[in-house]
């Protein structure tokens, strides 16, 4: 147990993976190592490894290398280095592909002239075919031999094994026929065409995969590289990475904010669409928060840095989106299991095809060609890409709309939500309670307010802030022996008087007619009392968010049962629920009891989700099957939630559920096409109805079609702004 406290998660960039069999094998290898728990993502080319004190980064890199791949710890510069390296490799592969096409076209072109009555007279000399095909086979196709060797050395098999084995059989047979001048047909064009087509498929796949990470790339590009910082009364230009918390920086009209900060002086409006998905600019003045990469409008803002580097909201978003894109959805487990045994099974089918055709027909060449077609048509790439590419695009689109997904499992489960529990304050309502009524009893209005504010002056509770805001200009008396009783109220000594401020039930005045009247109007009532009795009643109202009623209607239209949880009494809760269009609520729920309320809802069956914004919501969020945190809420709530809504708008929950449904729809389509492709293709090849060249083209295009189908998710738009 000593290592439990030392556990950490490290992300590695993985090189050399070509198909799902590679990622499945590498994951298995890493998970067999002591102190490692790994999740390998083919589409993102990443491995997230949980390390205990029994393992370190060097051990991971060594294990990955032994398995035939490369690994490097992901750091701040990894993305740029990878991008540059991929562009270099892509240009190199384009040139190799052009050479492959030039060498392969004469081999394939001759086939068109061999279809007539005297077709074989138009066949290229076999020595020339050997000269054209050999560079394609062993120079252009070297990547497949290298990949196959590393896979077999690591104790597994992947797509490279299939391609190298199939094309080598076609080339080897043809070379023997040519060198010994045997009376047999040659198949140089089959091997060369397969390698060229697979290379084309890899190039198209690389282009399509690059587009799946556009959301993160777009976020990174938004942050300025430099900032104007105040030093000894002068403004100097500094790299953003050099800023420290407390530095004062200037954001001029039209510029993007360099880091998170608080406005010191100036007025402007800031476009925060990249965070919230909301296009309307937000007014900013002294005391307001600004966030890195948001666009300043017409005014200049002088700000104090509060979050720099990895502590900015933007960095958190990029990190969270990256983690979600690298995570694995439960629906992918079946594909992973199949990919792990796929290549050995296909090799067995190819061997059976060869033996069957040779023993029945007696034609070695025909048996060989059909076996090659089986090897070439069967590729687990499409299976491996079906889920992660859709997750990458879906989470990226979510980030654009202000929906941050913590992991793929949460995204998968969201569409299955049957019950949604809503916290009231700050979720359904604005979270900005205001004092609306003061009912004097044994003390005058002003005196009662002064005493109540003095008692609450050190409290951060929303109701306390409402009372303090009403007496902002008054000098408050000191408070002694302050104590808070969660869910009930506070007590302490002010001006030598022992005071209590809290709920009518706690004070024993729940039957007071004035209390009932105010509660029926949807207001929260607290009383101020001393030993002699009640000094005053205070009514506080928290207005419903303008979008809450429409958002609740959207959720109910999806067949979701919406339940409001609140610490308010039944009368106030009923009024708020009716205003929001909610038929079911739980009133008088103490902060510590929200998790129990969620557990009770879960006992009723169906997937239960929770939406909250405060620290006291964190246990309930953790208890729910799927949890949503309103972005304006506390760090504890966001940390406990599966999905974070950057906009403080309940429409984001409905949008997240819509996104989940759209993403899962694409995953199901991808898996169907990947499975059906192999289920149909392998038997056709085994029966001799599929030429190896056609099989190679089909295999190359299967992966491209899966990635392209995932990219259609880029058309998704939030329903609240559709």
């Amino acid at each position: 147990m000593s290592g439990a406290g030392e556990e950490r998660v490290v992300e590695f960039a993985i090189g050399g993976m070509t198909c799902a069999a590679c990622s499945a094998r590498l994951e298995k290898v890493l998970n067999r190592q002591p102190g490692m728990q790994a999740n390998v993502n083919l589409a993102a080319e990443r491995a997230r490894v949980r390390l205990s004190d029994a393992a370190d980064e060097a051990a991971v890199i060594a294990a990955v290398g032994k398995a035939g791949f490369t690994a490097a710890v992901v750091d701040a510069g990894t993305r740029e280095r990878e991008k540059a390296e991929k562009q270099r490799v892509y240009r190199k592969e384009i040139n190799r592909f052009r050479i492959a096409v030039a060498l392969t076209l004469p081999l394939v072109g001759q086939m068109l002239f061999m279809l007539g009555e005297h077709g074989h007279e138009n066949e290229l000399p076999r020595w020339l075919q050997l000269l054209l095909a050999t560079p394609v086979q062993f120079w252009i196709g070297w990547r497949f031999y290298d990949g196959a060797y590393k896979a077999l050395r690591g104790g597994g098999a992947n797509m490279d094994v299939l391609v190298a084995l199939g094309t080598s059989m076609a080339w080897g047979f043809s070379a023997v026929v040519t060198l010994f001048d045997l009376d047999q047909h040659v198949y140089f064009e089959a091997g060369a065409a397969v390698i060229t087509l697979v290379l084309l498929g890899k190039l198209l796949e690389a282009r399509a995969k690059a587009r799946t990470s556009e959301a993160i790339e777009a976020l990174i590009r938004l942050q300025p590289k430099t900032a104007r910082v105040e030093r000894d009364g002068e403004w100097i230009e500094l790299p953003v990475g050099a800023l420290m918390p407390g530095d004062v920086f200037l954001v001029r009209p039209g510029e993007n904010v360099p880091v998170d900060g608080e406005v010191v002086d100036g007025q402007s409006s800031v476009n925060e669409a990249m965070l919230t998905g909301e296009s309307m600019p937000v007014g900013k003045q002294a005391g307001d928060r600004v966030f890195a990469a948001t666009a300043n409008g017409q005014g200049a803002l002088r700000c104090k840095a509060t979050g720099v580097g990895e502590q900015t909201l933007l960095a958190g978003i990029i990190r969270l989106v990256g983690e979600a894109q690298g995570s694995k959805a439960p629906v992918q487990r079946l594909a992973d299991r199949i990919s792990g045994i796929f290549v050995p099974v296909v090799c067995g089918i190819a061997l059976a095809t060869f033996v069957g055709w040779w023993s029945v027909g007696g034609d070695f060449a025909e048996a060989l060609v059909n076996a090659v077609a089986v090897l070439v048509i069967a590729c687990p790439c499409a299976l491996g890409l079906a889920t992660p590419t859709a997750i990458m695009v879906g989470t990226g689109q979510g980030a654009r709309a202000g929906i941050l997904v913590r992991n793929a499992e949460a995204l998968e489960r969201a569409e299955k939500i049957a019950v949604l529990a809503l916290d009231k304050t700050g979720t359904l309502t604005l979270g900005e309670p205001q004092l609306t009524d003061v009912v004097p009893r044994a003390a005058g209005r002003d005196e009662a307010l002064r005493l109540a504010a003095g008692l609450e002056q050190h409290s951060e509770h929303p109701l306390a802030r409402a009372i303090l805001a009403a007496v902002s200009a008054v000098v408050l008396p000191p408070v002694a022996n302050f104590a808070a009783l969660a869910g009930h109220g506070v007590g302490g000594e002010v001006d030598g008087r022992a005071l209590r401020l809290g709920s009518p039930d706690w004070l024993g005045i729940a039957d007071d007619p004035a209390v009932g009247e105010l509660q029926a109007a949807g207001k929260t009532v607290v009383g101020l009392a001393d030993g002699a009795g009640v000094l005053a009643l205070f009514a506080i109202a928290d207005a419903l968010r303008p979008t809450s009623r429409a958002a609740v209607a959207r959720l109910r239209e999806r067949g979701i049962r919406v339940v409001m949880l609140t610490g308010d009494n039944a009368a106030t809760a009923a009024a708020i629920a009716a205003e929001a269009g909610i038929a079911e609520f739980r009133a008088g729920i103490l902060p510590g009891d929200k998790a129990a309320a969620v557990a009770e809802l879960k006992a009723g069956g169906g997937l239960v989700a929770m939406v909250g914004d405060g620290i006291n919501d964190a246990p309930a969020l953790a208890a729910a099957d799927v949890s949503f945190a309103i972005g304006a809420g506390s760090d504890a709530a966001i940390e406990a939630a599966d999905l974070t809504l950057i906009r403080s708008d309940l429409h984001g929950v409905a949008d997240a559920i819509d996104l989940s449904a759209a993403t899962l729809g694409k995953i199901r389509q991808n898996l169907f096409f990947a499975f059906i492709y192999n289920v149909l293709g392998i038997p056709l090849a085994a029966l001799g109805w599929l030429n190896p060249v056609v099989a190679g083209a089909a295999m190359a295009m299967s992966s491209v079609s899966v990635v392209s189908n995932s990219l259609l998710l880029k058309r998704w738009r939030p329903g609240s702004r559709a």
Side-chain angles (χ1 to χ4, degrees):
M1 294 296 290
S2 61
E6 301 298 324
E7 281 193 351
R8 64 196 190 282
V9 176
V10 183
E11 189 172 25
F12 295 84
I14 304 296
M17 294 191 297
T18 57
C19 68
C22 294
S23 57
R25 178 166 58 85
L26 180 57
E27 189 170 291
K28 192 178 295 183
V29 167
L30 291 175
N31 284 328
R32 282 202 297 259
Q33 307 301 314
M36 297 184 197
Q37 183 183 341
N39 177 18
V40 180
N41 185 299
L42 171 65
E45 297 179 329
R46 290 284 192 271
R48 290 181 59 77
V49 186
R50 186 180 300 278
L51 298 173
S52 71
D53 57 354
D56 58 13
E57 289 85 345
V60 176
I61 293 171
V64 172
K66 192 174 180 182
F69 308 98
T70 62
V73 177
V74 173
D75 57 29
T78 297
R79 189 177 297 278
E80 287 302 317
R81 290 196 300 270
E82 279 186 330
K83 193 174 180 180
E85 177 63 16
K86 284 180 180 178
Q87 287 175 344
R88 186 190 68 79
V89 171
Y90 186 77
R91 287 193 296 269
K92 180 181 174 183
E93 291 298 319
I94 283 285
N95 291 331
R96 290 164 71 93
F97 172 70
R98 287 170 179 161
I99 296 170
V101 170
L103 295 172
T104 303
L105 273 178
L107 296 171
V108 176
Q110 69 172 337
M111 303 298 293
L112 300 175
F113 297 102
M114 291 172 60
L115 297 176
E117 186 178 346
H118 304 288
H120 286 282
E121 297 175 5
N122 299 313
E123 184 179 9
L124 290 176
R126 290 183 177 179
W127 62 265
L128 179 57
Q129 293 188 53
L130 177 62
L131 287 176
L132 290 170
T134 301
V136 178
Q137 183 69 41
F138 297 106
W139 178 49
I140 304 296
W142 177 250
R143 58 179 289 167
F144 301 112
Y145 289 100
D146 183 54
Y149 167 73
K150 289 177 178 176
L152 294 171
R153 186 187 67 182
N158 61 4
M159 181 203 74
D160 292 332
V161 172
L162 298 179
V163 175
L165 185 59
T167 57
S168 296
M169 288 168 63
W171 182 90
F173 172 77
S174 302
V176 169
V177 169
T178 300
L179 294 174
F180 292 96
D181 196 24
L182 303 178
D183 186 21
Q184 290 281 353
H185 182 66
V186 292
Y187 298 96
F188 287 118
E189 82 287 342
V194 165
I195 287 174
T196 303
L197 287 167
V198 172
L199 190 56
L200 172 62
K202 285 292 176 186
L203 290 169
L204 294 173
E205 181 186 311
R207 283 189 64 184
K209 281 169 67 177
R211 291 181 59 198
T212 62
S213 59
E214 280 180 357
I216 288 185
E217 295 291 341
L219 290 174
I220 292 172
R221 287 195 299 269
L222 286 171
Q223 186 168 23
K225 297 289 188 286
T226 60
R228 291 180 62 81
V229 183
E230 191 174 27
R231 287 284 190 272
D232 299 324
E234 294 184 2
W235 295 104
I236 61 172
E237 200 92 3
L238 286 180
V240 167
L243 265 68
M244 298 288 289
D247 283 345
V248 175
F249 61 90
L250 179 68
V251 188
R252 293 175 295 190
E255 291 183 338
N256 281 10
V257 179
V259 295
D260 290 2
E262 182 179 309
V263 178
V264 177
D265 58 59
Q267 286 189 333
S268 185
S269 59
V270 176
N271 187 335
E272 298 181 344
M274 50 75 61
L275 292 177
T276 66
E278 181 57 63
S279 59
M280 288 296 293
V282 180
K284 299 291 182 181
Q285 58 186 3
D288 290 337
R289 294 178 67 191
V290 291
F291 302 99
T294 54
N296 186 27
Q298 72 286 356
L301 295 173
R302 185 166 165 266
C303 310
K304 181 175 68 176
T306 56
V308 300
E310 291 300 305
Q311 279 69 53
T312 64
L313 181 59
L314 175 67
I317 291 173
I318 292 170
R319 187 166 54 249
L320 202 58
V321 173
E323 289 174 5
Q325 291 185 341
S327 63
K328 191 171 291 187
V331 73
Q332 192 178 344
R333 291 172 188 152
L334 175 61
D336 285 349
R337 286 197 295 270
I338 292 174
S339 296
I341 61 171
F342 192 82
V343 175
V345 168
V346 169
C347 289
I349 294 172
L351 179 62
T353 300
F354 175 75
V355 171
W357 277 92
W358 195 13
S359 61
V360 174
D363 189 332
F364 178 86
E366 187 177 25
L368 180 70
V369 169
N370 291 335
V372 168
V374 169
L375 290 170
V376 170
I377 190 68
C379 173
C381 277
L383 280 175
L385 293 169
T387 299
T389 52
I391 293 293
M392 289 176 74
V393 179
T395 52
Q397 289 299 99
R400 289 173 184 266
I403 302 165
L404 300 186
V405 182
R406 184 170 295 277
N407 55 58
E409 183 174 1
L411 190 63
E412 180 179 335
R413 292 164 72 89
E415 72 156 354
K416 304 180 180 74
I417 292 171
V419 182
L420 182 68
L422 298 173
D423 172 55
K424 179 185 76 77
T425 304
T427 303
L428 272 172
T429 64
L430 291 170
E432 300 171 1
Q434 294 182 335
L435 184 66
T436 59
D437 302 88
V438 179
V439 182
R441 288 295 165 84
R445 183 184 187 280
D446 293 342
E447 176 65 6
L449 264 175
R450 191 183 72 86
L451 292 172
L455 188 60
E456 292 276 33
Q457 60 189 289
H458 301 304
S459 175
E460 285 299 315
H461 193 282
L463 300 184
R465 291 201 300 269
I467 291 174
L468 288 166
V471 292
S472 56
V474 176
V475 177
L476 299 178
V479 59
N481 300 321
F482 178 83
L485 185 60
H488 296 295
V490 297
E493 292 182 16
V494 179
D495 288 349
R497 302 168 70 174
L499 301 176
R500 289 190 299 159
L501 179 72
S503 69
D505 285 330
W506 186 46
L507 299 178
I509 55 171
D511 295 332
D512 189 313
V515 171
E517 186 179 330
L518 292 168
Q519 289 175 343
K523 299 175 182 179
T524 300
V525 180
V526 293
L528 178 66
D530 63 6
V534 178
L535 302 179
L537 300 177
F538 302 97
I540 297 163
D542 185 8
L544 203 67
R545 292 187 187 277
T547 55
S548 289
R549 186 174 181 87
V552 168
R554 276 183 70 193
L555 292 164
R556 294 182 67 178
E557 283 172 8
R558 290 190 66 93
I560 295 172
R561 175 184 160 206
V562 180
V563 182
M564 184 182 80
L565 304 180
T566 177
D568 278 335
N569 61 84
T572 302
I576 294 292
E579 189 180 354
I582 297 174
E584 190 176 350
F585 62 86
R586 304 281 193 278
I589 301 286
L590 298 178
D593 295 336
K594 287 184 180 178
V598 169
E600 179 191 332
L601 291 171
K602 287 171 70 174
L607 212 67
V608 176
M610 170 73 188
V611 188
D613 76 315
I615 292 173
N616 59 5
D617 296 325
L621 291 170
D625 295 311
V626 182
S627 51
F628 299 85
I630 293 288
S634 72
D635 291 341
I638 292 171
E639 187 64 30
D642 297 316
L643 299 99
T644 299
L645 312 175
I646 298 297
R647 283 196 309 154
S648 296
D649 185 344
L650 206 54
H651 270 301
V653 177
D655 289 338
I657 295 169
D658 289 344
L659 176 63
S660 169
T663 304
L664 267 293
K666 285 300 174 191
I667 290 174
R668 293 186 189 104
Q669 291 171 15
N670 288 346
L671 288 174
F672 172 79
F673 288 127
F675 279 123
I676 206 71
Y677 161 82
N678 285 296
V679 166
L680 294 177
I682 293 175
L684 290 175
L687 291 170
W689 296 347
L690 209 57
N691 182 281
V693 175
V694 177
M699 184 203 74
M701 294 313 297
S702 66
S703 297
V704 177
S705 62
V706 163
V707 177
S708 300
N709 188 49
S710 296
L711 287 171
L712 292 177
L713 267 174
K714 286 181 174 288
R715 298 177 180 177
W716 178 86
R717 294 293 181 271
S720 56
R721 295 185 296 283

